[in-house]
Amino acid sequence: MPHIHIEYSGNLERVVDMAGLCDALRQSAAGISALPMPGVRVRAIRVDHYSIADGDQKHGFVDISVRLREGRQDDVKQDVINKLFKTAQAFLAPAMKTHSIALSSELREIDAQLSPKCGTIRDHLQDPK
């Protein structure tokens, strides 16, 4: 873990490199010692139907949801969300200077008892750490 979900308003596709944002967040998460690199997953979902503030279509949003398996201390979780949010802020800063964009994030814990998982990613990594 973590799973990082990005929802963004469709009007930002011409302004923000969403694949680049996904990769920046992946790199940031992989650099946090409390997060195992093989478990990092980042995905972005374009939202075409939305209404923001006064309804002007110039407004856009990027909402980042981070899901972590339970068991980490509060200070670790705070560090994770702060680092990922700062990464997103830095990446989006040029676009936010010239466009109306709301950026938000949230970290939620996953109950391990209710979240079975399996995979072979580690089997296929050069350096699984």
Side-chain angles (χ1 to χ4, degrees):
M1 295 283 168
H3 287 269
I4 302 169
H5 297 256
I6 305 165
E7 284 190 352
Y8 65 94
S9 54
N11 64 341
L12 294 182
E13 276 202 340
R14 59 181 169 63
V15 177
V16 176
D17 173 9
M18 289 299 167
L21 177 57
C22 287
D23 200 49
L25 289 169
R26 179 195 57 79
Q27 289 179 31
S28 181
I32 299 171
S33 63
L35 305 178
M37 179 273 294
V40 175
R41 293 160 179 80
V42 183
R43 51 195 160 287
I45 300 167
R46 176 186 165 125
V47 176
D48 290 320
H49 305 286
Y50 55 90
S51 187
I52 301 170
D54 60 2
D56 191 320
Q57 291 297 305
K58 71 179 179 185
H59 305 303
F61 72 88
V62 175
D63 179 61
I64 301 168
S65 175
V66 180
R67 293 172 38 237
L68 285 178
R69 194 168 277 262
E70 66 187 350
R72 292 172 177 86
Q73 298 295 322
D74 286 345
D75 61 330
V76 171
K77 292 183 286 189
Q78 187 70 56
D79 183 56
V80 167
I81 197 63
N82 287 344
K83 285 181 178 173
L84 294 175
F85 189 77
K86 286 179 183 176
T87 297
Q89 273 186 304
F91 188 91
L92 294 169
M96 292 182 84
K97 286 181 182 175
T98 58
H99 294 82
S100 174
I101 301 172
L103 172 62
S104 58
S105 67
E106 176 185 18
L107 186 144
R108 286 176 264 150
E109 284 190 307
I110 298 169
D111 183 332
Q113 297 276 344
L114 303 174
S115 179
K117 65 177 187 165
C118 72
T120 61
I121 290 175
R122 283 182 173 83
D123 299 339
H124 298 272
L125 291 174
Q126 297 283 338
D127 183 14
K129 292 183 185 175

